[in-house]
Amino acid sequence: MPVKIAAQAPQTQRPTYVGGGTDLMPLLKNHVRDDEELVFLDGVEELNGIWEEAGWITIGAGERLYDIANAPLLREKLPAVAQAAGATASPQIRNIATIGGNIMQDRRCIYFNQSRYWRKGLPLCFKTGGAVCHQIPNSPVCRAIYYSDVATALAVYEAQAEYIEAGVKKRGPILELVKRHSQANGLACGEHLPILVTSFRVPAPAAGERSGFYKYAMRATIDFPLINFALRCGGDREAKLVAGAVAPWPVELPETAKLLNGPATDDEIAAACAAELQRLAMPIKEACIPPTLKRSLYQYVSCLLHLRREV
Ligand SMILES: Cc1cc2nc3c(=O)[nH]c(=O)nc-3n(C[C@H](O)[C@H](O)[C@H](O)COP(=O)(O)OP(=O)(O)OC[C@H]3O[C@@H](n4cnc5c(N)ncnc54)[C@H](O)[C@@H]3O)c2cc1C
């Protein structure tokens, strides 16, 4: 079921697309964002569907997280994506939220996700159009964290995002899109890339490939990740490991991944992962934990290392 979507620029100057609205609507309601030109995507058939064709699995950007978590094709071939979708937020949110909205969700920070009244007590930060990051005052950019669970899983499969930008259909690596999105999203309140994401394409796994997703959060339901991991090994590709909720985008861990198919013990791999994240993660103060405590969570990669031995 290939997507046929008109490569047309929308008729508004600066549209804000609404998938399920679960991330955007609370921000608008609390005047954290003030987007005016909303374009609702519900009912746009071209954004729906999950199918496999010619060695690629495609997921429409309008697919609900509930349907992604339960799709037999994804549970069998891209289990990390199905597990990440099933671990996102709460059942009520998963019934409404789309994968496109999950990937394009706002970055979060305890200084930004507050009422306008609360924020009046501090100078404007980068994310609200100012020139300081209250988290890391000497940082030249916003350090709010990107918490998408599904992005970590898509990144481990080297997924590509398909989108329409300035009327032109484009395709590129998911991590590239998330980095561009995160940079724009850290510039000023409500700033966003003027693109419509239409689908995600993932190479179908080779025989013997194994993968999975693990998320650690304060509560088992309705909570953002404090950390998440996606791991892929076996098959005919180099193993890959990605961590999320530790920086403004998912972080690849190539040095640790090199150990996954070798003789290293699980403890050695967990230690290597913690050391690599110590260098690559950019922790900030979060609602539940200080940055120092977050570093102790890097060891949770151990929860996925059983995949090394499964056949
Ligand atoms: C209580 C709560 C708990 C949550 N917990 C988690 C969690 O554990 N893990 C997690 O990953 N997320 C979590 N979230 C965020 C949640 O995943 C998102 O709210 C949801 O996935 C967003 O999907 P949506 O379709 O509702 O997006 P929307 O709210 O519709 O949109 C979100 C953003 O994406 C843009 N957008 C939407 N669709 C497209 C598109 N096709 N092309 C371009 N831009 C688009 C919108 O303009 C908006 O800026 C939580 C949210 C809440 C409210």
Side-chain angles (χ1 to χ4, degrees):
M1 190 175 50
V3 169
K4 288 187 192 137
I5 192 159
Q8 284 175 347
Q11 296 306 303
T12 61
Q13 291 300 309
R14 194 170 171 274
T16 297
Y17 295 106
V18 186
T22 63
D23 197 53
L24 184 63
M25 289 306 169
L27 296 175
L28 295 179
K29 198 173 162 191
N30 294 316
H31 299 289
V32 178
R33 281 178 58 161
D34 294 309
D35 307 53
E36 288 174 350
E37 300 180 68
L38 302 184
V39 176
F40 288 79
L41 300 176
D42 199 24
V44 179
E45 284 298 316
E46 291 89 340
L47 300 181
N48 293 339
I50 299 173
W51 70 94
E52 182 173 3
E53 193 176 84
W56 290 85
I57 296 168
T58 303
I59 306 170
E63 284 295 323
R64 311 278 160 193
L65 296 183
Y66 171 87
D67 296 317
I68 290 169
N70 292 292
L73 175 66
L74 302 183
R75 288 167 74 112
E76 183 197 336
K77 299 204 169 174
L78 306 177
V81 170
Q83 290 160 9
T88 294
S90 65
Q92 292 87 345
I93 290 175
R94 293 196 290 274
N95 277 337
I96 301 173
T98 63
I99 187 171
N102 187 272
I103 298 304
M104 300 302 282
Q105 67 176 267
D106 243 77
R107 290 158 64 192
R108 302 177 71 81
C109 165
I110 52 172
Y111 293 97
F112 174 74
N113 293 91
Q114 303 286 352
S115 67
R116 188 175 277 169
Y117 176 75
W118 188 98
R119 286 197 266 125
K120 265 188 184 168
L122 289 170
L124 293 178
C125 69
F126 288 118
K127 201 158 157 47
T128 52
V132 66
C133 172
H134 296 306
Q135 291 275 3
I136 316 283
N138 63 359
S139 169
V141 291
C142 166
R143 291 283 294 270
I145 285 193
Y146 175 74
Y147 287 97
S148 165
D149 283 310
V150 180
T152 305
L154 285 175
V156 92
Y157 294 117
E158 295 167 36
Q160 301 198 329
E162 298 189 304
Y163 52 93
I164 298 175
E165 182 169 16
V168 180
K169 282 186 186 182
K170 297 185 178 174
R171 179 189 297 162
I174 182 76
L175 275 183
E176 219 169 80
L177 175 71
V178 170
K179 282 185 184 174
R180 281 185 65 204
H181 160 64
S182 272
Q183 278 156 359
N185 189 242
L187 285 181
C189 203
E191 195 57 59
H192 59 274
L193 284 184
I195 65 170
L196 170 64
V197 181
T198 54
S199 62
F200 303 94
R201 272 164 50 100
V202 188
E209 188 169 292
R210 304 178 297 282
S211 52
F213 173 86
Y214 179 80
K215 164 179 177 171
Y216 180 78
M218 290 302 281
R219 295 171 294 185
T221 58
I222 200 158
D223 228 343
F224 286 89
L226 289 178
I227 196 162
N228 63 38
F229 289 100
L231 185 153
R232 172 175 62 67
C233 59
D236 59 6
R237 293 192 277 176
E238 293 292 317
K240 202 178 231 337
L241 177 64
V242 181
V246 293
W249 39 75
V251 172
E252 289 184 273
L253 302 167
E255 288 178 21
T256 312
K258 270 188 214 149
L259 304 175
L260 289 171
N261 288 337
T265 64
D266 285 4
D267 285 348
E268 286 166 345
I269 291 175
C273 176
E276 197 169 17
L277 272 174
Q278 198 75 34
R279 290 194 304 279
L280 300 180
M282 298 185 231
I284 57 174
K285 276 176 270 172
E286 293 174 70
C288 307
I289 56 160
T292 42
L293 184 57
K294 185 131 184 170
R295 294 196 179 96
S296 68
L297 305 179
Y298 300 165
Q299 297 283 337
Y300 273 100
V301 72
S302 305
C303 297
L304 287 176
L305 296 181
H306 62 92
L307 290 166
R308 299 172 68 208
R309 293 175 287 277
E310 284 173 12
V311 181

Short mmCIF file of all heavy atoms in Angstrom, two decimals, residues 16-24 33 41 61 65 87-89 93 97-98 100-102 104-105 147-149 195-197 215 222-225, ligand 1:
data_model
loop_
_atom_site.label_atom_id
_atom_site.label_comp_id
_atom_site.label_asym_id
_atom_site.label_seq_id
_atom_site.Cartn_x
_atom_site.Cartn_y
_atom_site.Cartn_z
N THR A 16 0.96 24.50 12.08
CA THR A 16 1.33 23.56 13.13
C THR A 16 0.44 22.35 12.95
O THR A 16 -0.78 22.45 13.05
CB THR A 16 1.09 24.17 14.53
OG1 THR A 16 1.95 25.30 14.67
CG2 THR A 16 1.41 23.17 15.62
N TYR A 17 1.03 21.20 12.66
CA TYR A 17 0.24 20.00 12.42
C TYR A 17 -0.19 19.38 13.74
O TYR A 17 0.58 19.37 14.70
CB TYR A 17 1.03 18.99 11.58
CG TYR A 17 1.32 19.52 10.20
CD1 TYR A 17 2.59 19.96 9.85
CD2 TYR A 17 0.30 19.63 9.27
CE1 TYR A 17 2.85 20.49 8.59
CE2 TYR A 17 0.54 20.15 8.00
CZ TYR A 17 1.82 20.58 7.67
OH TYR A 17 2.05 21.11 6.44
N VAL A 18 -1.41 18.88 13.77
CA VAL A 18 -1.92 18.24 14.98
C VAL A 18 -2.20 16.78 14.66
O VAL A 18 -3.02 16.47 13.80
CB VAL A 18 -3.22 18.92 15.48
CG1 VAL A 18 -3.64 18.31 16.82
CG2 VAL A 18 -3.04 20.42 15.59
N GLY A 19 -1.45 15.87 15.33
CA GLY A 19 -1.70 14.44 15.18
C GLY A 19 -2.82 14.07 16.14
O GLY A 19 -4.00 14.27 15.86
N GLY A 20 -2.46 13.55 17.31
CA GLY A 20 -3.47 13.27 18.33
C GLY A 20 -3.71 14.47 19.23
O GLY A 20 -4.70 14.52 19.96
N GLY A 21 -2.78 15.41 19.24
CA GLY A 21 -2.93 16.61 20.07
C GLY A 21 -2.54 16.39 21.53
O GLY A 21 -2.64 17.31 22.33
N THR A 22 -2.07 15.21 21.90
CA THR A 22 -1.82 14.93 23.32
C THR A 22 -0.62 15.69 23.86
O THR A 22 -0.56 15.99 25.05
CB THR A 22 -1.61 13.42 23.57
OG1 THR A 22 -0.43 12.99 22.87
CG2 THR A 22 -2.80 12.60 23.13
N ASP A 23 0.33 16.01 23.02
CA ASP A 23 1.49 16.79 23.46
C ASP A 23 1.21 18.28 23.26
O ASP A 23 1.49 19.10 24.13
CB ASP A 23 2.73 16.38 22.63
CG ASP A 23 4.03 16.83 23.28
OD1 ASP A 23 4.23 16.51 24.47
OD2 ASP A 23 4.83 17.50 22.62
N LEU A 24 0.61 18.60 22.12
CA LEU A 24 0.44 20.01 21.74
C LEU A 24 -0.65 20.72 22.54
O LEU A 24 -0.47 21.85 22.99
CB LEU A 24 0.13 20.07 20.24
CG LEU A 24 0.00 21.45 19.63
CD1 LEU A 24 1.32 22.21 19.73
CD2 LEU A 24 -0.41 21.34 18.17
N ARG A 33 2.89 27.32 24.57
CA ARG A 33 3.05 27.65 23.15
C ARG A 33 1.82 28.43 22.70
O ARG A 33 0.75 28.29 23.29
CB ARG A 33 3.16 26.36 22.31
CG ARG A 33 4.54 25.76 22.38
CD ARG A 33 4.65 24.45 21.60
NE ARG A 33 4.31 24.57 20.17
CZ ARG A 33 4.68 23.67 19.27
NH1 ARG A 33 5.41 22.62 19.63
NH2 ARG A 33 4.34 23.81 18.01
N LEU A 41 -4.57 16.59 11.33
CA LEU A 41 -4.23 15.50 10.40
C LEU A 41 -5.18 14.31 10.52
O LEU A 41 -5.08 13.38 9.73
CB LEU A 41 -2.79 15.05 10.65
CG LEU A 41 -1.72 16.13 10.46
CD1 LEU A 41 -0.34 15.58 10.84
CD2 LEU A 41 -1.71 16.63 9.02
N ALA A 61 2.81 8.07 9.38
CA ALA A 61 3.02 8.99 10.51
C ALA A 61 1.74 9.18 11.33
O ALA A 61 1.79 9.60 12.47
CB ALA A 61 3.52 10.34 10.00
N LEU A 65 -0.25 5.07 18.48
CA LEU A 65 0.72 4.27 19.22
C LEU A 65 0.11 2.93 19.63
O LEU A 65 0.79 1.90 19.65
CB LEU A 65 1.22 5.04 20.45
CG LEU A 65 2.00 6.32 20.13
CD1 LEU A 65 2.50 6.97 21.42
CD2 LEU A 65 3.17 6.06 19.19
N ALA A 87 5.06 1.26 25.61
CA ALA A 87 5.54 1.76 26.91
C ALA A 87 5.39 3.28 27.02
O ALA A 87 5.80 3.87 28.01
CB ALA A 87 7.01 1.38 27.09
N THR A 88 4.83 3.89 26.00
CA THR A 88 4.71 5.36 25.99
C THR A 88 3.46 5.81 26.76
O THR A 88 2.37 5.29 26.52
CB THR A 88 4.63 5.86 24.54
OG1 THR A 88 5.87 5.59 23.88
CG2 THR A 88 4.37 7.35 24.47
N ALA A 89 3.63 6.74 27.65
CA ALA A 89 2.51 7.41 28.34
C ALA A 89 1.50 6.40 28.92
O ALA A 89 1.90 5.43 29.54
CB ALA A 89 1.85 8.41 27.40
N ILE A 93 -3.63 7.87 26.29
CA ILE A 93 -2.82 8.68 25.36
C ILE A 93 -2.44 7.85 24.14
O ILE A 93 -2.52 8.31 23.01
CB ILE A 93 -1.58 9.24 26.09
CG1 ILE A 93 -2.04 10.31 27.09
CG2 ILE A 93 -0.58 9.84 25.10
CD1 ILE A 93 -0.95 10.87 27.96
N ALA A 97 -2.58 9.27 20.50
CA ALA A 97 -1.31 9.82 20.02
C ALA A 97 -0.83 9.09 18.77
O ALA A 97 -0.97 7.87 18.65
CB ALA A 97 -0.26 9.71 21.12
N THR A 98 -0.20 9.85 17.86
CA THR A 98 0.33 9.28 16.62
C THR A 98 1.85 9.16 16.72
O THR A 98 2.50 9.87 17.50
CB THR A 98 0.00 10.18 15.42
OG1 THR A 98 0.64 11.45 15.63
CG2 THR A 98 -1.50 10.40 15.27
N GLY A 100 3.86 10.11 14.39
CA GLY A 100 4.42 11.38 13.88
C GLY A 100 4.53 12.40 15.00
O GLY A 100 5.56 13.08 15.15
N GLY A 101 3.49 12.51 15.81
CA GLY A 101 3.50 13.46 16.93
C GLY A 101 4.49 13.06 17.99
O GLY A 101 5.10 13.91 18.64
N ASN A 102 4.66 11.76 18.18
CA ASN A 102 5.64 11.30 19.18
C ASN A 102 7.05 11.71 18.80
O ASN A 102 7.83 12.17 19.63
CB ASN A 102 5.53 9.79 19.38
CG ASN A 102 6.42 9.33 20.53
OD1 ASN A 102 7.58 9.03 20.32
ND2 ASN A 102 5.89 9.31 21.74
N MET A 104 7.84 14.19 16.77
CA MET A 104 7.97 15.65 16.68
C MET A 104 7.55 16.34 17.99
O MET A 104 7.28 17.53 18.01
CB MET A 104 7.11 16.16 15.50
CG MET A 104 7.52 15.59 14.15
SD MET A 104 9.23 15.93 13.71
CE MET A 104 9.10 17.62 13.18
N GLN A 105 7.50 15.59 19.08
CA GLN A 105 7.08 16.17 20.36
C GLN A 105 8.08 17.21 20.85
O GLN A 105 9.27 17.18 20.51
CB GLN A 105 6.90 15.08 21.42
CG GLN A 105 8.15 14.36 21.84
CD GLN A 105 7.88 13.35 22.97
OE1 GLN A 105 8.01 13.67 24.13
NE2 GLN A 105 7.51 12.13 22.60
N TYR A 147 12.36 13.41 24.90
CA TYR A 147 11.99 12.21 25.65
C TYR A 147 11.28 11.13 24.82
O TYR A 147 10.75 10.19 25.40
CB TYR A 147 11.06 12.60 26.81
CG TYR A 147 11.78 13.29 27.95
CD1 TYR A 147 11.79 14.68 28.04
CD2 TYR A 147 12.45 12.56 28.91
CE1 TYR A 147 12.45 15.32 29.09
CE2 TYR A 147 13.12 13.19 29.96
CZ TYR A 147 13.11 14.56 30.04
OH TYR A 147 13.76 15.19 31.07
N SER A 148 11.22 11.27 23.51
CA SER A 148 10.46 10.26 22.74
C SER A 148 11.01 8.85 22.95
O SER A 148 12.21 8.60 22.74
CB SER A 148 10.51 10.60 21.25
OG SER A 148 10.10 9.47 20.49
N ASP A 149 10.14 7.94 23.35
CA ASP A 149 10.53 6.54 23.46
C ASP A 149 10.68 5.91 22.07
O ASP A 149 11.60 5.13 21.81
CB ASP A 149 9.47 5.76 24.26
CG ASP A 149 9.59 6.03 25.75
OD1 ASP A 149 10.70 5.91 26.29
OD2 ASP A 149 8.56 6.34 26.38
N ILE A 195 7.61 21.28 8.48
CA ILE A 195 7.55 20.08 7.64
C ILE A 195 6.36 19.21 8.06
O ILE A 195 5.92 19.27 9.21
CB ILE A 195 8.84 19.24 7.76
CG1 ILE A 195 9.00 18.67 9.17
CG2 ILE A 195 10.06 20.04 7.39
CD1 ILE A 195 10.09 17.64 9.26
N LEU A 196 5.88 18.43 7.12
CA LEU A 196 4.85 17.43 7.41
C LEU A 196 5.49 16.05 7.30
O LEU A 196 5.94 15.66 6.21
CB LEU A 196 3.69 17.54 6.41
CG LEU A 196 2.66 16.40 6.47
CD1 LEU A 196 1.94 16.38 7.81
CD2 LEU A 196 1.66 16.53 5.32
N VAL A 197 5.60 15.35 8.41
CA VAL A 197 6.16 13.99 8.38
C VAL A 197 5.06 13.07 7.87
O VAL A 197 3.93 13.09 8.37
CB VAL A 197 6.64 13.55 9.78
CG1 VAL A 197 7.23 12.15 9.71
CG2 VAL A 197 7.66 14.52 10.33
N LYS A 215 12.69 0.61 28.99
CA LYS A 215 12.48 1.98 29.50
C LYS A 215 12.44 1.96 31.02
O LYS A 215 11.78 1.10 31.61
CB LYS A 215 11.14 2.48 28.96
CG LYS A 215 10.57 3.70 29.67
CD LYS A 215 9.27 4.10 29.00
CE LYS A 215 8.63 5.27 29.71
NZ LYS A 215 7.49 5.80 28.95
N ILE A 222 2.02 6.09 32.45
CA ILE A 222 1.91 7.55 32.31
C ILE A 222 3.14 8.28 32.85
O ILE A 222 3.03 9.20 33.66
CB ILE A 222 0.59 8.10 32.88
CG1 ILE A 222 0.31 9.47 32.29
CG2 ILE A 222 0.52 8.09 34.41
CD1 ILE A 222 -1.11 9.88 32.34
N ASP A 223 4.30 7.88 32.41
CA ASP A 223 5.48 8.64 32.79
C ASP A 223 6.47 8.70 31.65
O ASP A 223 6.65 7.72 30.92
CB ASP A 223 6.15 8.02 34.02
CG ASP A 223 6.45 9.09 35.06
OD1 ASP A 223 6.44 10.28 34.71
OD2 ASP A 223 6.67 8.72 36.22
N PHE A 224 7.12 9.85 31.55
CA PHE A 224 8.19 9.98 30.58
C PHE A 224 9.38 9.12 31.03
O PHE A 224 9.54 8.86 32.22
CB PHE A 224 8.62 11.45 30.48
CG PHE A 224 7.64 12.29 29.73
CD1 PHE A 224 6.58 12.91 30.39
CD2 PHE A 224 7.75 12.45 28.37
CE1 PHE A 224 5.67 13.67 29.70
CE2 PHE A 224 6.84 13.21 27.66
CZ PHE A 224 5.80 13.83 28.33
N PRO A 225 10.22 8.71 30.10
CA PRO A 225 11.37 7.89 30.50
C PRO A 225 12.39 8.73 31.28
O PRO A 225 12.61 9.90 30.95
CB PRO A 225 11.96 7.45 29.16
CG PRO A 225 11.53 8.50 28.18
CD PRO A 225 10.18 8.97 28.66
C1 LIG B 1 0.92 12.67 30.45
C2 LIG B 1 1.81 12.44 29.29
C3 LIG B 1 2.75 11.43 29.37
C4 LIG B 1 3.61 11.20 28.30
N1 LIG B 1 4.53 10.19 28.38
C5 LIG B 1 5.35 9.94 27.33
C6 LIG B 1 6.26 8.87 27.36
O1 LIG B 1 6.35 8.13 28.31
N2 LIG B 1 7.07 8.67 26.26
C7 LIG B 1 7.00 9.47 25.16
O2 LIG B 1 7.71 9.24 24.20
N3 LIG B 1 6.12 10.49 25.11
C8 LIG B 1 5.30 10.73 26.16
N4 LIG B 1 4.40 11.75 26.10
C9 LIG B 1 4.40 12.55 24.94
C10 LIG B 1 3.46 11.78 24.03
O3 LIG B 1 4.12 10.70 23.51
C11 LIG B 1 3.06 12.61 23.03
O4 LIG B 1 2.08 13.40 23.68
C12 LIG B 1 2.41 11.89 21.86
O5 LIG B 1 3.14 10.79 21.39
C13 LIG B 1 2.36 12.88 20.79
O6 LIG B 1 1.58 12.36 19.76
P1 LIG B 1 0.38 13.24 19.21
O7 LIG B 1 -0.05 12.60 17.93
O8 LIG B 1 -0.68 13.42 20.24
O9 LIG B 1 1.14 14.59 18.93
P2 LIG B 1 0.58 16.07 18.84
O10 LIG B 1 0.31 16.59 20.21
O11 LIG B 1 -0.52 16.15 17.86
O12 LIG B 1 1.84 16.79 18.22
C14 LIG B 1 3.07 16.89 18.89
C15 LIG B 1 4.02 17.77 18.03
O13 LIG B 1 4.29 17.10 16.80
C16 LIG B 1 3.89 17.88 15.68
N5 LIG B 1 3.34 16.94 14.70
C17 LIG B 1 2.36 16.02 14.91
N6 LIG B 1 2.19 15.25 13.81
C18 LIG B 1 3.09 15.71 12.89
C19 LIG B 1 3.40 15.33 11.54
N7 LIG B 1 2.80 14.30 10.92
N8 LIG B 1 4.36 16.03 10.89
C20 LIG B 1 5.02 17.05 11.51
N9 LIG B 1 4.76 17.45 12.78
C21 LIG B 1 3.81 16.78 13.45
C22 LIG B 1 2.87 18.85 16.24
O14 LIG B 1 2.81 20.05 15.48
C23 LIG B 1 3.39 19.10 17.65
O15 LIG B 1 4.39 20.08 17.63
C24 LIG B 1 3.51 11.99 27.13
C25 LIG B 1 2.55 12.99 27.05
C26 LIG B 1 1.71 13.22 28.12
C27 LIG B 1 0.68 14.29 27.99
#
